Each structure stands twice: as structure tokens, then as C-alpha cells.
Amino acid sequence: MNWQLFGESFVTLFVIMDPLGTVPIFLGLTASFSPAQRSRAARQAVIVAFGVIVAFAVFGQRILDYLHISLPSLQAAGGLLLLLIALELLTGKGDEPTSTVGVNVAMVPLGTPLLAGPGAIVATMVFVQQSEGVRDWAAIALGVVTVHITLWLAMRFAGVVHRLLGDSGVLLVTRVAGLLLSAIAVQLVADAVRAFVVGTA
């Protein structure tokens, strides 16, 4: 097991998918739900997000080959995309999704795009592209599974988490997550530029 890669994939996806920051949105979308319905919604949202992430992890390479997109291009695009998400977390200007009549909120907008959004998809694809062998694949898979378990726990016990942290605590965690995510985004862009330079040298 490549524990360093596991740590990198877990931290990156944890920051992007932001379990604690999801809590107030989840509570708002499920305000009229019973405890049983809220628990079911948390489970469904995680299953949907996991399915989307796995689909892009497995078929991402084929999509890149078909569109003739290089890994450095994907890294640069992913870095810029993550930077936009980080700025939203830091400034609090991200649009919070609202519940829509007739739509299962566990699937849309919770499962996607709130949890399995563009940032998480791109980050997972980049990790898969950089992996070498079964050890790396296992590390990435474990990281993805662990993050989704954390997401489920955060939403399953959303009421308790929100009461413990309070609005100020959740806001603080969101800002710190934005700072970490911005650093990850800059690193992705820097690695992409370095790969471009080496490739053309």
C-alpha cells in the first residue's frame, strides 16, 4: 500500500468535498425530513457521489485518449478549477443549492454536483493518471472510500456536528479548507507547467 498516495488522495478529496461544510447545506435541504428520511438521504447522496467518482476514475483515461487530452493539460485545468472552488470557500460566495420540488435532493444537488462535483472528478482523474501499479490503485481506492465514509458520517450525524461546532465553527472550517485547497490548486498548476517545460525541452 502506498500510504503517501493514500494520504494525498484522502486529504485532497476531503478538502474538495468538504464534509463539515456540507453539514449546514444538508440540514437546510432536509429540514422537513424525518430522522429516518434524513438518514436515507445521507446514504443515497454518498452512493450517488461514489458512483460518479468511480465512473470517472475507471473510464477517465479512455475519455482523455479519445479527446487527445494530455495529463499536464488535465492538471492545469483541474488546478484552475480547484482554485475557483477555493476562492468560493474563502470568500463565502459559493451558491448554495436549494431544494427543488419533485427532485430527490439526495441525488441532485447533494450527490452531484455538491459532493461529486467537477473539482472532485478532476482530482480523482489526475491521481489515477499518475498511479503506477496495483499499490497506487489500492491507495487511491482506499482514499476515495474513506472520504465517502467520512461524508456519510458527517451527514448522518449532521445535527450533532452542527450543534458542536456552531455556525462560527463550520464557517472557520470552511475557510481553512479553502486555504488548503488553494495551495493544492497552485501545486497542480505548477506541476503542469513543469511537465510542459520538460516535454518541450
Side-chain angles (χ1 to χ4, degrees), residues 37 67 78 92 101 125 127 148 150 158 173 184 187 189 196 198 200:
Q37 290 175 322
L67 297 176
V101 177
M125 290 178 64
F127 278 119
H148 281 80
T150 306
V173 171
I184 293 171
Q187 187 63 55
V189 174
F196 277 126
V198 172
T200 56

Side-chain angles (χ1 to χ4, degrees), residues 60 64 69-79 122 125-126 129 188 192 196:
L64 292 180
I69 300 174
S70 66
L71 177 59
S73 299
L74 180 65
Q75 285 180 305
V122 170
M125 290 178 64
V126 169
Q129 292 301 307
L188 276 175
F196 277 126

